[in-house]
Amino acid sequence: MQNLPEVQLAVTALKQKLSEAGRTGRAAKPRVGMVLGTGLSGLTAAMRDAVRVPYTELPGFPLSTVDSHSGAFVLGDVAGIPVLAQQGRCHLYEGYSPAQVCMGVRVMAGLGIGTLVVTNAAGALNPQFDAGSLMLMTDQINFTGTTPLAGPNVEQWGPRFPDMSCIFDPELRALALESAAMLGIRLERGVYIGVHGPQMESPAETRMYRQWGADAVGMSTVLEVLAARHLGLRVLGVSCLSNKNLPDCMAPVPLEEIIAVAGRAGRQLERLLLDMVTKF
Ligand code: HPA
């Protein structure tokens, strides 16, 4: 079910906190929002005049129960442009509903963002992709079994049957490839499949996802992207490939390794996004 009143309350509370911390007028109106996944929270360190509002200060905002995610909105300037980051997210596998998983994106839209950057850690299904690389999301498969758009449609968010023929903005994708080439960062292109989790994939599942056309698999992002497209936001998605996920040579992947490798890829992604922000 939809949670418009909760989202509106959280928007009001976030605006209030930002203004109490001195971000008012233009400085309180982000054009760009970012969802920072595992290993990516460092990006906020590059923001100037940043204000951090922990999720605990926003009524009804879901808190991540996963240690690798810190939970706060951070509004700050990158190259003079106000950027709002969602540092840490909650997941379906934690027991949250699709509406809760997408609350951050809807709150950021309530603050006025027009562009959303989503990031995540993912396992590489394409055997040509290396762990530690970045992947530009060209499309997605929602295999979570659910959607944030079920229930009565909230007309002020978007249409009943939103189009998904071109989910990730072609101009932003071209910009990302251009920036990556200029910075000497390897940026693969591929399809992300979002699964419910929390269990990792069996070899049979991994083989099936690859046969379906997916290049990377993860447990987040797809629902937030659906909510963002419903809201009419321009979306850019980048995965940090934290491990190889190949059916014929599968081995357990400890969470510590996923976090460490995603963190290394994340530093490249930070360079990429800092370069791109002024061109959004
Ligand atoms: N599978 C699912 N989710 C993930 C993986 C994976 O291999 N790596 C990082 N998140």
Side-chain angles (χ1 to χ4, degrees), residues 121-123 200-201 217-219 242-243 245 258:
M200 299 296 273
E201 296 68 44
V217 56
M219 302 175 195
S242 56
N243 56 287
N245 190 331
I258 290 183

